[in-house]
Amino acid sequence: MNRIDGPLNEFPAFRTVDLEEARRHFGRILSPHALRLVHEHAQLDVCCRTVKLGEIVLLYARYGAAVRLDPGSLDDFYLVGMPIAGTSTIRSAEWELTSNPAIASVQSCVSPIRTQWDDDCSKLSIKIPRSSLERALAMLLGHMPSRPVEFLPRLDLASERGATWNRLVQFLLAELTPQSHYLGSPIGRRTLDDALISTLLLVQPHNYTDALRVDSRAPAPSYVRRAEEMIAADPALEGGIGELAGRLGISVRTLYTGFRRYRKTTPLNFARGHRLAKAREMLRDAPPGTRVTDVALSVGYLHFGRFAADYRARYGESPSATLRGQ
């Protein structure tokens, strides 16, 4: 096969003309999905190159023929698609977007989507784990997000905000070679992760954008910051909010007032976010024989039905599905 130029071209390429082999390959990198030719007798010429930073994956791909992809809900990651050439159309139940070299797409984890690539389309995609994005957002907000982040799907690269994102991506593409100092250092990889995630959260509108714009010149009182640290260390809150307030030397009312004013949430909601994040981590890393009820109890849930409902509302799947998917 002839060499295909494009981003990440110094890295090894996966090449195939087989539809099923391409489906399996991209399913391992992204998530399992249906892959079909738009025109039955078209000839594929698939090329794929990937680079893993810290947790983020950069992926260059082209199919060489028009294809349809049906990944459903992304669930555990976000995907920014930046066509290098040609167009692709992304559809959900609520919106449809035609993406081209001037218009990137931002696919959130909450809604099922379907995508069609035209035969001349090649694309750079950036896969951002949901857990990484939510941790970064929590650092910016000062508390764990209570709902999944939902981005507007259209990112106009000619706009001021879009240009900021595009300049960062172009810098990365210029710097990422097999000999890159960034890739040779775990700290360098994490630095690139942090830059991409924080820039996306700040330039692309989403359901927490207004919260990020709140004037932060008045810092939260020390008792709020200490409470956050204590909850993060022990999200089960075995002694309850009353004991937490007592350890801080304040009343429960003062604690609630501080969280509402400076964090736009309550101590219980803040703790719930940490409990669910801890539970998800435990379910994913669980040894054989682990029961969902044991995980629920370990993070402070005494009512399994409430745990299952909160978990599904936050992550779009049941705790048992996460446990089975390990």
Side-chain angles (χ1 to χ4, degrees), residues 163-181:
T164 297
W165 168 261
N166 195 39
R167 284 192 295 268
L168 174 59
V169 172
Q170 297 310 314
F171 165 77
L172 290 182
L173 294 178
E175 289 294 320
L176 291 180
T177 68
Q179 298 79 35
S180 170
H181 293 295

Side-chain angles (χ1 to χ4, degrees), residues 1-325:
M1 298 181 183
N2 295 330
R3 175 184 173 88
I4 294 177
D5 291 326
L8 311 179
N9 60 13
E10 294 187 50
F11 293 89
F14 166 81
R15 298 289 299 274
T16 187
V17 296
D18 182 79
L19 184 70
E20 183 60 22
E21 186 179 8
R23 185 192 65 77
R24 289 195 302 268
H25 181 78
F26 286 109
R28 288 191 294 267
I29 299 171
L30 299 171
S31 62
H33 60 268
L35 173 63
R36 302 178 183 86
L37 289 167
V38 173
H39 307 294
E40 183 178 355
H41 299 295
Q43 179 62 55
L44 282 176
D45 180 10
V46 176
C47 177
C48 172
R49 291 187 285 263
T50 61
V51 174
K52 192 172 190 296
L53 304 180
E55 295 179 309
I56 290 175
V57 174
L58 271 62
L59 165 69
Y60 167 78
R62 55 151 283 177
Y63 290 92
V67 294
R68 293 192 181 99
L69 296 81
D70 188 356
S73 296
L74 302 184
D75 292 334
D76 286 333
F77 64 93
Y78 291 77
L79 196 67
V80 182
M82 304 174 66
I84 307 301
T87 60
S88 68
T89 302
I90 305 99
R91 298 180 178 89
S92 77
E94 294 81 24
W95 52 265
E96 177 176 318
L97 173 66
T98 297
S99 182
N100 56 51
I103 303 295
S105 63
V106 183
Q107 299 172 36
S108 299
C109 65
V110 292
S111 300
I113 55 100
R114 291 173 291 117
T115 304
Q116 178 168 318
W117 293 42
D118 292 346
D119 55 9
D120 61 344
C121 183
S122 61
K123 187 185 295 190
L124 177 73
S125 296
I126 300 172
K127 177 187 177 183
I128 302 174
R130 176 176 177 176
S131 58
S132 301
L133 187 135
E134 290 184 344
R135 283 199 305 269
L137 178 59
M139 292 295 293
L140 293 172
L141 291 174
H143 60 83
M144 288 292 289
S146 59
R147 294 170 288 115
V149 182
E150 296 184 56
F151 288 97
L152 290 182
R154 178 188 173 96
L155 175 53
D156 185 349
L157 299 178
S159 69
E160 181 179 350
R161 291 175 176 271
T164 297
W165 168 261
N166 195 39
R167 284 192 295 268
L168 174 59
V169 172
Q170 297 310 314
F171 165 77
L172 290 182
L173 294 178
E175 289 294 320
L176 291 180
T177 68
Q179 298 79 35
S180 170
H181 293 295
Y182 287 107
L183 297 183
S185 163
I187 294 176
R189 291 173 182 265
R190 289 196 299 270
T191 298
L192 297 183
D193 274 8
D194 293 344
L196 283 166
I197 294 173
S198 60
T199 300
L200 183 65
L201 285 169
L202 293 173
V203 305
Q204 182 64 1
H206 51 82
N207 53 327
Y208 288 93
T209 294
D210 288 344
L212 291 177
R213 290 174 178 164
V214 171
D215 188 350
S216 58
R217 286 175 293 179
S222 60
Y223 69 80
V224 171
R225 301 194 299 273
R226 287 171 55 208
E228 290 173 327
E229 293 170 358
M230 293 163 69
I231 291 171
D234 178 24
L237 283 181
E238 294 184 5
I241 294 297
E243 180 181 305
L244 177 65
R247 291 168 62 190
L248 292 166
I250 59 174
S251 68
V252 171
R253 180 177 180 179
T254 297
L255 183 61
Y256 268 83
T257 299
F259 266 80
R260 287 196 179 99
R261 178 177 178 184
Y262 293 97
R263 299 309 191 217
K264 311 305 178 186
T265 188
T266 67
L268 282 177
N269 283 336
F270 182 83
R272 184 179 298 115
H274 278 278
R275 288 176 186 173
L276 293 172
K278 179 64 175 177
R280 190 165 182 82
E281 179 181 337
M282 293 175 66
L283 289 167
R284 285 177 162 175
D285 299 335
T290 298
R291 300 182 304 171
V292 172
T293 50
D294 294 333
V295 173
L297 288 170
S298 71
V299 297
Y301 272 91
L302 302 180
H303 190 288
F304 177 71
R306 170 55 58 190
F307 170 67
D310 287 351
Y311 190 94
R312 181 180 291 277
R314 184 173 181 83
Y315 295 111
E317 66 180 12
S318 67
S320 57
T322 303
L323 183 63
R324 289 194 303 270

